[in-house]
Amino acid sequence: MKLLSKKKYTLGEDIGVNRIKDIIKRELDEEQYKAVVESDGYSLIIAGPGSGKTRTVTYKIAYLISNGIQPSEIALMTFTRAAAREMIERAQNVCKNNLSGMTAGTFHHVCNLILRRYAKELGYESNFTILDSQDSLELIRHARNLLGSQIPKDEKVKLPSPNVLQKIISYSCNTFSDLEESIVKINPKFLRAKDLIEKIWEIYSNEKREQQAMDYDDLLVNTYQLLRTNSFVREREASRYKWVLVDEFQDTNIVQFEIVKLLSSIHRNLFVVGDDSQSIYSFRGARFENVFDFSKIPDSKIFKLQTNYRSTKDIVELVNSIIPSKSFEKKLKAVRRNGSKPVLVKTWDRLQEAGFVYQRIMELVEKGYNYSDIAILYRSHAHSLELQMELMRHNVDFKIFSGLKFTETAHVKDIIAFLKILVNPKDKISWLRILKLFPTIGKTYSSRIADFVVNLVSEGIDPVEALRRFPKNSRVELDKIIDLLDMLYMISDPAEAINHLKEKFYDDYLSLEYPDYVERQMDIERLSEMADVYRSISSFLSELLLSERVDVDNRESKSNSITLTTVHQAKGLEWPVVFLISVNPGDLPNYLAVNEGNIDEEERIFYVAVTRAKDHLYICKQRLGTSFPFRGNNIYIGNQRFDFTNRIPPELIDEWEVE
């Protein structure tokens, strides 16, 4: 009998771990590598434009996984769903791990997940409705009307419009400002109505709670209050996440900063990436000061990414010359060498400016650039009107980064309203929208029916049965609504529900109401396609309503067209050729910002605009300047302090005067 010899075989360190570490060492530059490998505890990564911010966050995730951190122990906060998806996909490619268990998405998405788990702690059911901006506006309008009817005629005070009220409330929520501070920020003339605004806010808040609904601001504020006041929830959630990562940290508001501090309070690993010089959203509560406050946390570490891979050396040198005054010290280093100097273009007025931009674009196209390589940036949308006319006159294709989101168009909102009441039949706003789609039901009757149905639903009555119990009226025909909803409430699949609604009712409605009904019907079909990958109506609604941009604008689908956009909407994007137009005192910097003493943010807007360019940069100004440089102020147009073009060293730029 032959005996088998036994040998011991010792496994070395995980081969996969070594592979990931080798990849990280090979793929990252020295600054990025240090930010990934040496960051622990509270770590602030100052990422200059074009310095590989996304790459750094991606490899940080892969590095954590290679060191034994589980995907479920990581929370990634971003400002767009696309950014989170891109980072996760890239990290999966590096570490060859499935990261599906990782919590990742926008702040609102992550807060929504937390609130669904602990809704009862706040007096909500887990199926609470999310109000989008338009729904919120309608409910504020409802609250305003309720209060207005109670004010004696001899005590009438001019109330802000629902839009202004919404801004006041939202700004207060996102900045921890009291109501008076918020009114002063949005429009001081409404201070005399402060008490009435407070009552409207109270009615609005009560209505939301009664309807089991939260608006976007509630998702943040309620999460903060939950984590701050409930030690059990805070410790459970903070224990769950060994690492909290935040992208675009310079765009966070005070509520978001507090949330991530609370979520990282147990393991104390908070990794934030941003650039204080690119913080341009103070109008919605963003604080560039968050970056400085983070750096003051005891034992926090600071890493700087200063190698620019985007722009030519000539553009980077100009960028270094206009770094905003209130910024972390930084100096970008260019990797790309060859290029032409940026150009300061002086025209007589906007019409001549438009003519120059068109002609120069044609010359660049002749040299081989595509329309899609070119972007025209401006501080305010109105600055682009002459240019739009010039491009249309010559039949040049262009797209504008503006307009309604897909989810804000009337026809899509109608479908969403139906889906919302299937999930939460207490959603009065959605009932009001749905009911008004049917003949003979106007504002008055829709309110009566909605109140009647929601009250009965609150008592445990089935919503369709509640409709059946509404007092009969010869003017109001409810049978069609009842039949439609009777079938819809039996459907749990979101795509099936949309298709049924479209076929049995909405196609006919569109054909009667809109001249472009075919395009709108196609949009509903697109919505159904999007819904087809979700298992429940609730999950589909959550994803849809938390998506910041789902765009089906036909103009934007053109693959080869020039981009026209405000600087705010261009942030995070880049093009080989950038024209920055109307860089005049009063336009950029904006005259209102100057009057309010907010020149710092205008510096950052200028900085963001210039850093979008890869190969060619044209900065355009008019010799006539703006018609109203600083309205209501004694600052005059010749004041050199507010002309950003005068801050550029002459040797870094070519100057062209258009004749």
Side-chain angles (χ1 to χ4, degrees):
M1 179 176 172
K2 188 175 181 180
L3 295 176
L4 295 174
S5 62
K6 293 184 179 180
K7 293 182 179 180
K8 291 184 178 180
Y9 184 87
T10 303
L11 289 173
E13 188 178 352
D14 189 301
I15 297 174
V17 172
N18 281 336
R19 186 188 68 83
I20 294 173
K21 290 180 177 178
D22 287 342
I23 291 174
I24 291 173
K25 185 71 173 177
R26 183 176 68 247
E27 295 295 325
L28 301 183
D29 66 28
E30 184 179 352
E31 293 172 333
Q32 296 166 346
Y33 181 79
K34 285 184 177 180
V36 167
V37 174
E38 297 179 12
S39 56
D40 56 13
Y42 290 93
S43 294
L44 169 64
I45 288 74
I46 303 293
S51 62
K53 168 182 66 68
T54 299
R55 189 179 191 83
T56 302
V57 177
T58 296
Y59 279 89
K60 181 63 181 180
I61 296 169
Y63 182 73
L64 292 175
I65 299 298
S66 75
N67 280 278
I69 302 296
Q70 298 301 309
S72 60
E73 297 172 328
I74 302 172
L76 170 64
M77 314 281 204
T78 64
F79 276 84
T80 67
R81 191 169 58 171
R85 186 168 56 245
E86 179 186 2
M87 290 175 184
I88 291 175
E89 288 174 354
R90 288 190 186 184
Q92 285 181 156
N93 289 335
V94 174
C95 64
K96 304 302 181 186
N97 275 45
N98 185 345
L99 302 181
S100 58
M102 184 173 155
T103 299
T106 64
F107 273 88
H108 294 90
H109 170 78
V110 174
C111 288
N112 175 58
L113 295 177
I114 294 172
L115 291 174
R116 297 287 177 187
R117 289 196 281 266
Y118 306 103
K120 291 187 184 298
E121 300 288 337
L122 295 169
Y124 281 86
E125 296 298 324
S126 60
N127 68 337
F128 65 82
T129 295
I130 298 173
L131 301 178
D132 66 14
S133 296
Q134 192 60 39
D135 290 335
S136 167
L137 188 65
E138 287 301 316
L139 196 55
I140 290 172
R141 180 176 284 110
H142 174 67
R144 182 181 184 273
N145 291 340
L146 281 178
L147 181 69
S149 64
Q150 301 169 16
I151 302 174
K153 289 185 178 179
D154 57 347
E155 296 180 17
K156 285 288 184 182
V157 176
K158 190 170 183 179
L159 291 171
S161 70
N163 282 297
V164 174
L165 285 167
Q166 187 181 49
K167 288 183 179 179
I168 290 171
I169 293 170
S170 182
Y171 186 84
S172 181
C173 289
N174 283 291
T175 61
F176 288 153
S177 302
D178 63 30
L179 181 58
E180 183 171 328
E181 290 173 318
S182 186
I183 294 171
V184 169
K185 176 67 177 180
I186 304 303
N187 194 333
K189 77 176 185 180
F190 291 118
L191 278 174
R192 68 185 68 179
K194 174 179 172 290
D195 292 341
L196 294 175
I197 294 172
E198 191 167 17
K199 290 178 181 177
I200 292 171
W201 192 351
E202 183 179 354
I203 295 171
Y204 172 61
S205 299
N206 291 338
E207 284 284 341
K208 284 188 294 182
R209 186 166 290 277
E210 287 177 12
Q211 297 180 37
Q212 288 288 295
M214 295 188 197
D215 61 26
Y216 288 152
D217 297 327
D218 291 329
L219 295 177
L220 298 179
V221 173
N222 287 345
T223 300
Y224 166 69
Q225 294 293 356
L226 179 67
L227 294 172
R228 185 179 68 86
T229 61
N230 191 312
S231 58
F232 168 76
V233 173
R234 180 176 63 254
E235 290 176 13
R236 186 175 181 183
E237 289 302 301
S239 296
R240 178 195 304 266
Y241 301 118
K242 291 185 178 178
W243 278 85
V244 177
L245 282 62
V246 183
D247 185 31
E248 302 287 6
F249 184 66
Q250 77 282 344
D251 294 333
T252 54
N253 59 39
I254 188 64
V255 185
Q256 292 162 330
F257 188 14
E258 292 300 321
I259 287 172
V260 296
K261 284 197 290 186
L262 289 166
L263 284 177
S264 59
S265 58
I266 298 294
H267 298 288
R268 302 183 64 80
N269 288 313
L270 180 55
F271 177 94
V272 304
V273 183
D275 182 3
D276 54 304
S277 297
Q278 297 186 64
S279 181
I280 60 174
Y281 297 116
S282 66
F283 61 90
R284 63 188 190 201
R287 296 180 75 248
F288 79 96
E289 294 93 343
N290 281 355
V291 178
F292 291 93
D293 290 346
F294 190 102
S295 69
K296 296 173 185 175
I297 296 175
D299 300 321
S300 61
K301 296 181 178 180
I302 299 175
F303 301 86
K304 294 182 181 180
L305 308 182
Q306 301 178 97
T307 304
N308 181 286
Y309 294 91
R310 175 185 299 157
S311 306
T312 62
K313 181 174 180 291
D314 299 285
I315 294 175
V316 169
E317 287 180 350
L318 187 151
V319 169
N320 281 328
S321 74
I322 61 165
I323 290 176
S325 52
K326 292 184 179 179
S327 295
F328 267 91
E329 184 180 345
K330 61 179 73 74
K331 185 173 183 180
L332 301 179
K333 300 174 295 238
V335 172
R336 299 179 60 203
R337 295 298 173 186
N338 297 325
S340 57
K341 276 188 178 182
V343 181
L344 173 61
V345 182
K346 295 182 178 180
T347 63
W348 185 250
D349 55 18
R350 290 194 205 279
L351 288 174
Q352 193 179 60
E353 177 182 75
F356 162 76
V357 172
Y358 162 71
Q359 182 173 310
R360 188 59 184 155
I361 286 173
M362 292 301 101
E363 293 167 354
L364 290 166
V365 169
E366 286 182 8
K367 293 181 178 180
Y369 284 97
N370 295 315
Y371 284 158
S372 57
D373 295 328
I374 300 169
I376 302 163
L377 278 53
Y378 33 84
R379 175 64 174 84
S380 302
H381 183 69
H383 300 160
S384 71
L385 296 182
E386 290 85 356
L387 186 58
Q388 289 184 51
M389 293 174 63
E390 182 74 10
L391 295 177
M392 286 188 290
R393 188 179 300 119
H394 295 283
N395 295 316
V396 176
D397 286 336
F398 64 91
K399 58 188 175 186
I400 302 175
F401 280 6
S402 58
L404 290 175
K405 296 177 183 177
F406 183 43
T407 52
E408 292 173 348
T409 56
H411 49 297
V412 172
K413 282 184 66 65
D414 290 344
I415 301 298
I416 290 174
F418 276 101
L419 298 181
K420 281 183 174 182
I421 65 163
L422 299 184
V423 174
N424 176 16
K426 294 180 183 178
D427 186 348
K428 189 187 298 182
I429 289 296
S430 293
W431 278 109
L432 290 171
R433 186 178 191 94
I434 288 166
L435 291 165
K436 285 185 284 189
L437 297 176
F438 293 85
T440 73
I441 301 180
K443 288 184 178 180
T444 301
Y445 268 106
S446 64
S447 293
R448 290 183 188 176
I449 298 169
D451 286 338
F452 182 87
V453 170
V454 170
N455 287 338
L456 288 187
V457 168
S458 297
E459 296 172 9
I461 306 298
D462 176 84
V464 177
E465 177 60 29
L467 273 176
R468 289 195 178 101
R469 295 187 186 185
F470 185 78
K472 299 295 182 183
N473 184 297
S474 58
R475 290 187 63 252
V476 181
E477 179 58 59
L478 294 180
D479 289 345
K480 188 173 183 179
I481 306 174
I482 291 170
D483 291 342
L484 180 65
L485 292 179
D486 200 23
M487 181 60 71
L488 281 174
Y489 270 104
M490 297 172 63
I491 300 172
S492 60
D493 179 81
E496 185 182 347
I498 293 170
N499 291 336
H500 179 82
L501 181 58
K502 180 177 181 294
E503 179 184 344
K504 298 299 182 182
F505 167 67
Y506 205 66
D507 271 352
D508 288 341
Y509 172 81
L510 288 175
S511 65
L512 290 171
E513 293 292 324
Y514 297 104
D516 60 342
Y517 70 93
V518 174
E519 288 82 0
R520 292 175 185 259
Q521 288 171 343
M522 291 174 64
D523 284 352
I524 304 305
E525 290 171 5
R526 167 75 188 281
L527 188 68
S528 174
E529 292 171 3
M530 294 165 60
D532 200 36
V533 300
Y534 294 90
R535 296 181 179 179
S536 70
I537 295 173
S538 177
S539 61
F540 172 60
L541 282 175
S542 289
E543 285 299 306
L544 186 68
L545 295 173
L546 293 175
S547 174
E548 68 294 330
R549 185 176 178 83
V550 183
D551 204 335
V552 293
D553 188 330
N554 288 331
R555 288 180 303 170
E556 294 198 15
S557 67
K558 293 180 179 179
S559 59
N560 188 26
S561 54
I562 299 166
T563 298
L564 275 64
T565 175
T566 61
V567 179
H568 286 91
Q569 290 164 315
K571 188 172 174 293
L573 304 176
E574 60 184 40
W575 294 269
V577 181
V578 168
F579 292 85
L580 176 58
I581 63 174
S582 295
V583 186
N584 314 301
D587 293 331
L588 177 59
N590 175 267
Y591 72 92
L592 287 175
V594 173
N595 283 347
E596 294 169 0
N598 199 15
I599 193 68
D600 299 332
E601 180 140 335
E602 297 300 298
E603 290 179 351
R604 296 194 292 271
I605 291 171
F606 184 49
Y607 180 83
V608 167
V610 169
T611 57
R612 300 308 96 198
K614 297 168 69 176
D615 301 336
H616 298 281
L617 172 65
Y618 301 90
I619 300 172
C620 304
K621 64 176 291 186
Q622 293 101 47
R623 279 168 282 188
L624 280 181
T626 184
S627 302
F628 303 96
F630 301 102
R631 303 177 198 188
N633 195 293
N634 60 6
I635 300 173
Y636 57 92
I637 194 168
N639 193 322
Q640 303 296 301
R641 179 182 167 204
F642 298 111
D643 189 339
F644 284 164
T645 65
N646 287 334
R647 302 185 180 189
I648 303 171
E651 66 273 14
L652 299 183
I653 200 163
D654 286 336
E655 187 173 319
W656 296 357
E657 292 203 3
V658 178
E659 298 177 349

